[in-house]
Amino acid sequence: MQTPPPRARRLLLAVDAPSLLHRNHHARAHTDLRDRTGRPAWALHGMLRQILEAIDQFAPDALLFGLDDRTTSMREGLYPGYKAGRAVKDATLVEQLERAASLLDALGFRTVTPPGLEADDVNASAATWASREGWDCVIVTSDRDSFANISAHTRVLRLIDGGISGSPLLDERRLRALYGVDAARYLEFAALRGDASDNLPGVAGIGEKTAPVLLDLMGSMRAVWSDIEHCGGENLVATVDSWCLETGARRMGATLLKRLTAPGARERYDFNISIMAGQTDLELGLTPDVPGSPGLLPLDRVRVSRVVDFLGVGATTDLALRVLTEPPASEG
């Protein structure tokens, strides 16, 4: 592969490890792949293959892996129904989730398991860290919550069934094309819409079609709530109905106001924001100016060979040696 030209900014690849493990468990369980001690390894192997493919594609300078705290959940403490309704995890998946950190740490990557929190919080903190340090960031996940972290210097590779090469890389422009909202307003959009996968209902009557119109016309939910509090929503109704007149849509200003002022609507929105917002100030332990510190590429060749070979797939060991033990693109 031809070496890409040097970049002006270094690149951090932030990986939602549980997301990759879940997807690969369901996609690869039929292989019944085992490591050299006979333990289930298909999800771990699939996760590692996708990581290697992402490194091959993006040539990052450092990697950070977020993991969920599997012993306690701050969000469940606030809302016992959080993620209720999801299927019980298969025992072989649980085992591989619990072994993921040791595999990644053994390779020389940097992993973070924040107490009471999730990989989404690590992603949010990674985007903040990259912005502060003058780096670019690519978040690898299948979770839409990370879309709130998209900015001029942070993109999200949203994993779908096509794998790394077939997954969309979302930036500010593509996010707006998909949802009709700016990245800075995505969290507000999500709080209005709700998230069925996390068992979080949205504001009744305001979904994926109405929320973008509201945010686009009013600028932010802060402006919406302020108008309701100080003017009874008069500006909101007038602005929305004016837009409806211009576009030929049916007038809906009064209906929107009624839904936003319904009992519990503001409380539902505020609660969703508190649950959905990723924590941005986690200590990530990244020390890019210290050679050989965890997470920095390239990794030690002997170490990579020993660790990956334990999974028993020679082709993956060869790929790992190629993409993990050569200097990143920014050093070209």
Side-chain angles (χ1 to χ4, degrees):
M1 183 180 70
Q2 185 177 2
T3 301
R7 292 187 294 255
R9 297 166 67 99
R10 288 192 282 180
L11 176 64
L12 172 66
L13 200 66
V15 181
D16 180 347
S19 178
L20 271 67
L21 285 162
H22 277 83
R23 293 189 69 83
N24 280 285
H25 169 72
H26 297 295
R28 297 172 181 261
H30 67 280
T31 67
D32 196 35
L33 180 71
R34 305 276 168 159
D35 65 19
R36 295 197 181 279
T37 63
R39 294 177 299 180
W42 56 85
L44 290 168
H45 174 256
M47 174 189 69
L48 182 59
R49 286 289 305 197
Q50 289 193 319
I51 290 165
L52 297 175
E53 291 166 9
I55 294 171
D56 205 18
Q57 178 174 332
F58 294 103
D61 299 270
L63 276 84
L64 174 71
F65 293 85
L67 293 151
D68 299 340
D69 183 347
R70 295 182 46 75
T71 61
T72 184
S73 169
M74 178 195 72
R75 291 177 175 89
E76 283 187 18
L78 293 172
Y79 175 43
Y82 183 61
K83 296 186 178 180
R86 293 190 179 186
V88 177
K89 293 182 178 66
D90 185 88
T92 56
L93 171 58
V94 172
E95 180 184 340
Q96 291 176 84
L97 284 166
E98 293 174 347
R99 289 162 48 203
S102 60
L103 169 65
L104 297 168
D105 289 338
L107 280 166
F109 290 129
R110 175 65 182 160
T111 64
V112 177
T113 307
L117 298 173
E118 306 170 16
D120 288 337
D121 299 291
V122 180
N123 290 341
S125 291
T128 301
W129 180 92
S131 176
R132 184 178 66 243
E133 299 294 327
W135 286 46
D136 287 334
C137 181
V138 171
I139 297 171
V140 183
T141 182
S142 60
D143 197 326
R144 293 184 298 179
D145 289 344
S146 285
F147 294 173
N149 302 311
I150 292 174
S151 69
H153 294 291
T154 294
R155 296 169 291 169
V156 172
L157 184 69
R158 204 301 176 75
L159 290 180
I160 56 176
D161 292 340
I164 295 295
S165 62
S167 295
L169 181 63
L170 303 182
D171 56 13
E172 292 176 309
R173 180 185 60 81
R174 294 192 71 179
L175 182 71
R176 182 165 182 85
L178 279 174
Y179 293 100
V181 295
D182 293 333
R185 302 270 79 85
Y186 181 82
L187 178 60
E188 298 170 45
F189 162 77
L192 287 168
R193 176 200 61 198
D195 189 340
S197 68
D198 287 342
N199 194 32
L200 289 169
V203 176
I206 300 181
E208 289 203 356
K209 293 182 179 180
T210 307
V213 173
L214 178 64
L215 290 167
D216 212 31
L217 293 176
M218 297 298 291
S220 69
M221 284 307 296
R222 181 177 181 179
V224 169
W225 300 126
S226 294
D227 186 60
I228 290 173
E229 290 171 5
H230 298 290
C231 309
E234 289 183 7
N235 291 320
L236 185 155
V237 173
T239 300
V240 172
D241 283 349
S242 176
W243 174 84
C244 291
L245 182 64
E246 292 174 5
T247 60
R250 185 177 180 179
R251 291 176 63 177
M252 60 178 180
T255 300
L256 262 181
L257 178 60
K258 183 178 180 180
R259 291 170 177 171
L260 289 165
T261 55
R266 176 68 185 271
E267 291 77 11
R268 166 52 55 186
Y269 171 81
D270 288 341
F271 181 75
N272 282 354
I273 288 285
S274 69
I275 293 291
M276 292 176 171
Q279 191 161 325
T280 61
D281 59 354
L282 297 178
E283 176 53 54
L284 302 178
L286 292 170
T287 52
D289 296 326
V290 180
S293 60
L296 294 186
L297 293 178
L299 302 180
D300 179 75
R301 187 175 183 85
V302 173
R303 187 175 186 175
V304 168
S305 180
R306 287 175 178 168
V307 173
V308 180
D309 185 64
F310 196 72
L311 295 174
V313 183
T316 300
T317 302
D318 293 341
L319 177 61
L321 288 170
R322 179 170 67 81
V323 304
L324 296 179
T325 64
E326 297 177 2
S330 62
E331 296 182 11

